[in-house]
Amino acid sequence: MTSVMIVLIVLVLVLINGLYVASEFALIGVSRASVEADVEAGDRSARRVQAILGDPRQQDRYIAATQLGITLASLGLGMYGEHHLATKLMGLFEPLGESAWITAHFLASIVAVGVMTILHVVLGEMVPKSIALA
């Protein structure tokens, strides 16, 4: 798999995470008066949002679904990033023999967690929250 494809898949996973975060915070931060005005104007989406806001059980389900999406996207991001980074690093550690696999995965885990955490927190959490709450 080419490096461009790997980066693209990582960015798609960050985007998916961001969409779940934005949808969660959009629901939490939405003005009920704005939703009511949109419902009166005939907006079907606003009707669905109003139904969720009016029922605590639906709110819990909605938040749980977004949290599950965020968690799965984040786990996929870490697993995918670490695996491909370790594969790239294996060549550097071939002289270590059987320890090459462990060394490559150890370093890849550290780098992947660092880079993926930055991507996840900044692009997958902070930016979507800011947009959703604005």
Side-chain angles (χ1 to χ4, degrees):
M1 185 172 284
T2 68
S3 295
V4 174
M5 280 299 292
I6 293 169
V7 169
L8 184 63
I9 290 170
V10 166
L11 290 176
V12 166
L13 287 168
V14 170
L15 178 65
I16 290 169
N17 185 77
L19 289 172
Y20 279 110
V21 169
S23 65
E24 176 183 12
F25 277 85
L27 181 74
I28 291 169
V30 70
S31 161
R32 290 183 188 245
S34 173
V35 171
E36 288 175 17
D38 289 344
V39 167
E40 288 177 15
D43 187 336
R44 284 191 240 168
S45 296
R47 243 186 250 127
R48 285 190 290 254
V49 170
Q50 187 180 47
I52 293 169
L53 289 172
D55 183 356
R57 287 180 55 199
Q58 284 191 29
Q59 283 181 29
D60 288 345
R61 288 182 193 144
Y62 186 88
I63 299 299
T66 60
Q67 286 298 309
L68 180 62
I70 292 165
T71 301
L72 291 176
S74 299
L75 288 172
L77 182 63
M79 289 177 0
Y80 186 81
E82 188 278 336
H83 171 75
H84 283 285
L85 186 56
T87 301
K88 300 275 186 200
L89 292 174
M90 284 292 285
L92 294 173
F93 300 110
E94 280 181 3
L96 296 176
E98 297 202 13
S99 298
W101 188 90
I102 293 170
T103 305
H105 279 274
F106 175 75
L107 288 176
S109 293
I110 292 170
V111 172
V113 166
V115 172
M116 299 302 172
T117 299
I118 291 169
L119 284 173
H120 174 264
V121 169
V122 174
L123 297 178
E125 291 275 344
M126 293 172 67
V127 171
K129 280 180 192 175
S130 296
I131 292 170
L133 292 174

